[in-house]
Amino acid sequence: MSTVELTARFRQALDYAAALHAGQRRKGSGAPYVAHLLGVAAIVLEHGATEDEAIAALLHDAVEDQGGAATLAVIRERFGPRVAGIVEGCTDADTVPKPPWQQRKEAHLAHLAAADAGVCLVATADKLYNLRTIVADYRAVGESIWPRFTAGKDGTLWYYREVARVLEQAWPGPLVEELARTVEQLERLVEDRG
């Protein structure tokens, strides 16, 4: 449980994140992308986040999806080096075009293996939120979910399995255990329908 007091910095970060991602939608549902950012922030706050970690949760996709290094510089200036460091640690690519998917994900996994607790918290919350969405969507639409993912079914399952494995070693705890259980839940659903 978090007892952190959220200040005007958090509200400023929420406004900034909402503006950055204003035209972006979630794959599948089409929900405004800010729903994902709010969900990740909620998870980190429920698991003892500092304000910097909660702000980083709101901004964790900003560099990757909305401007690369220039956006990271703005985050560093507006929200400080700790927030920028967490956001950078959660970013798997900051260039356009992005490197090939497999190469990018393997590099990110290697980075997570040595990441600090703030990066691990936000990354775990991000992956957990995504997995919960995938599980719900898979229940609703079954196998037709996979074309929305660059790596398809096999690559997506591999990636989330590896994220859980890496985080279990790097940052064990209840949130990572929940992530691992959610990966297993998705794999069972896929097996049952397969």
Side-chain angles (χ1 to χ4, degrees), residues 38-121:
L38 290 167
V40 174
I43 293 169
V44 301
L45 285 166
E46 290 166 358
H47 287 85
T50 65
E51 185 175 44
D52 280 346
E53 291 164 343
I55 290 170
L58 292 172
L59 300 173
H60 75 274
D61 280 333
V63 173
E64 190 170 313
D65 294 347
Q66 302 297 331
T71 299
L72 184 61
V74 172
I75 291 169
R76 182 172 282 109
E77 180 183 319
R78 290 182 66 180
F79 302 105
R82 179 68 183 134
V83 171
I86 295 170
V87 171
E88 185 174 27
C90 292
T91 300
D92 74 9
D94 64 357
T95 58
V96 176
K98 292 179 181 179
W101 185 87
Q102 186 75 32
Q103 172 188 340
R104 198 169 77 235
K105 297 306 180 186
E106 287 176 358
H108 189 62
L109 288 165
H111 172 75
L112 283 179
D116 71 30
V119 171
C120 288
L121 173 61

Side-chain angles (χ1 to χ4, degrees), residues 136-182:
D137 288 353
Y138 188 82
R139 283 191 173 120
V141 301
E143 291 293 307
S144 65
I145 191 175
W146 301 118
R148 72 175 77 153
F149 298 100
T150 302
K153 175 168 66 176
D154 292 340
T156 301
L157 292 172
W158 166 83
Y159 179 61
Y160 283 104
R161 193 179 312 116
E162 285 300 299
V163 166
R165 183 188 64 76
V166 166
L167 288 168
E168 282 175 322
Q169 293 173 7
W171 192 67
L175 190 59
V176 175
E177 290 168 11
E178 185 176 351
L179 176 68
R181 283 192 303 273
T182 309

